[in-house]
Amino acid sequence: QGQLVQSGAEVKKPGASVKVSCKASGYMFNSYGVTWVRQAPGQGLEWMGWISADGGDTIYGQGFQGRLSMTTDTSTTTAYMELGSLRSDDTAVYFCARDSCHTPSCFPTYYFGMDVWGQGTAVTVSS
Amino acid sequence: QSVLTQPPSASGTPGQRITISCSGGSGSNHVYWYQQFPGTAPRLLIYRNNRRPSGVPERFSGSRSGTSASLAISGLRSEDEAHYYCAAWGDSGVIFGGGTTLIVL
C-alpha cells in the first residue's frame, strides 16, 4: 500500500531556509511522483509542487518559484522539500504525498490523485 | 489560475444524505475529493470525478457536470464529521477548493 514518513517539526527565523524530508516505503518509488502540499493554521490546503521520483522533472506552484526546491534520492527513496527566504506566513504544516503521475505529460489526462500522505511536518517561522 | 468554490460549511443529521458542491475550474479536468480530520493528513476520497479508492465506503460518491462537481454522503454518520476539499488540475498545478466543514448534528 505504501507509507510516507516525514521529518520532525522545525522552528526557523525569518529569512532562513527549511528542508523537510519524506521517506517512502512499501511501494515502487520510481513508479510515482511526489507532491508537496501545505496548510497554514486554520486554513485550507495549498499545492506547492510536484517532482518525479528520479528528480528529473519538477512543476512548481505559482508563488513559490525561486524559493522552493524539490529533490529526490532514489537510493534512499526519500524526497526533500526546501523552502527559502522564510516569512511568518510560511508557518504551516507541510505534507508530502504520493502522486499517481510520474511524468509531467501525465497531467491532467492520466492523473489519479494523491493517494498516500505523510503525517505532516510543522514548520514555525518566528523571530 | 482557476478557482474552485465550496461552501464553508454543511450539516446533516445521522442517516441523512448530504451533498457538498464545488464550482469553477476548467470544466474539462477531473475533480478529486479529499477528507481531512483535524490534526491529520488528508485522505483521497474520490478521484476522477466519481471513482472511489479501495477502502472508501460506497456511502461516498462523486459527480460532475460542466464546471460543477458534488460530493454526496449517504447514511451520514457522526464519524463523517470532517473537512472536505475538492481539487482539480488548473493551469499549471493542482488547485484546491477552500474546503467545507461538515457537521453531523
Side-chain angles (χ1 to χ4, degrees):
Chain A
Q1 176 67 5
Q3 184 179 18
L4 297 173
V5 178
Q6 299 182 222
S7 49
E10 302 264 11
V11 178
K12 296 291 182 180
K13 294 191 181 300
S17 296
V18 67
K19 190 169 187 177
V20 178
S21 67
C22 171
K23 166 70 175 175
S25 62
Y27 71 93
M28 292 190 63
F29 186 70
N30 288 339
S31 296
Y32 297 84
V34 176
T35 284
W36 290 90
V37 173
R38 75 177 183 179
Q39 186 170 38
Q43 302 300 308
L45 303 173
E46 181 179 20
W47 188 86
M48 299 180 68
W50 167 93
I51 185 168
S52 60
D54 67 2
D57 293 297
T58 53
I59 303 174
Y60 290 100
Q62 292 181 3
F64 294 102
Q65 303 268 2
R67 284 205 304 143
L68 176 62
S69 175
M70 296 178 292
T71 57
T72 64
D73 182 344
T74 55
S75 68
T76 60
T77 63
T78 303
Y80 299 91
M81 183 282 299
E82 184 170 19
L83 187 63
S85 303
L86 289 170
R87 309 182 294 251
S88 58
D89 60 0
D90 290 318
T91 294
V93 175
Y94 289 76
F95 296 100
C96 62
R98 185 176 78 173
D99 198 297
S100 61
C101 281
H102 63 285
T103 66
S105 61
C106 168
F107 299 104
T109 307
Y110 304 106
Y111 184 52
F112 285 77
M114 296 168 269
D115 65 342
V116 177
W117 291 70
Q119 82 276 20
T121 296
V123 176
T124 302
V125 183
S126 174
S127 54
Chain B
Q1 208 49 322
S2 305
V3 174
L4 296 177
T5 302
Q6 300 179 235
S9 65
S11 63
T13 55
Q16 192 176 9
R17 180 180 185 273
I18 65 98
T19 61
I20 297 172
S21 63
C22 172
S23 62
S26 71
S28 60
N29 292 333
H30 299 297
V31 174
Y32 304 77
W33 290 91
Y34 295 88
Q35 177 191 55
Q36 186 183 33
F37 297 104
T40 70
R43 167 200 185 192
L44 181 63
L45 205 60
I46 297 289
Y47 66 99
R48 296 172 79 83
N49 303 324
N50 54 19
R51 303 187 190 183
R52 280 186 308 275
S54 61
V56 174
E58 293 182 6
R59 304 187 295 107
F60 295 89
S61 62
S63 64
R64 197 193 86 179
S65 177
T67 59
S68 293
S70 292
L71 171 70
I73 309 174
S74 59
L76 197 62
R77 299 182 178 181
S78 58
E79 56 260 38
D80 297 332
E81 189 162 288
H83 302 287
Y84 293 84
Y85 296 90
C86 62
W89 184 259
D91 297 331
S92 55
V94 173
I95 53 174
F96 286 99
T100 298
T101 300
L102 174 61
I103 299 170
V104 181
L105 302 169

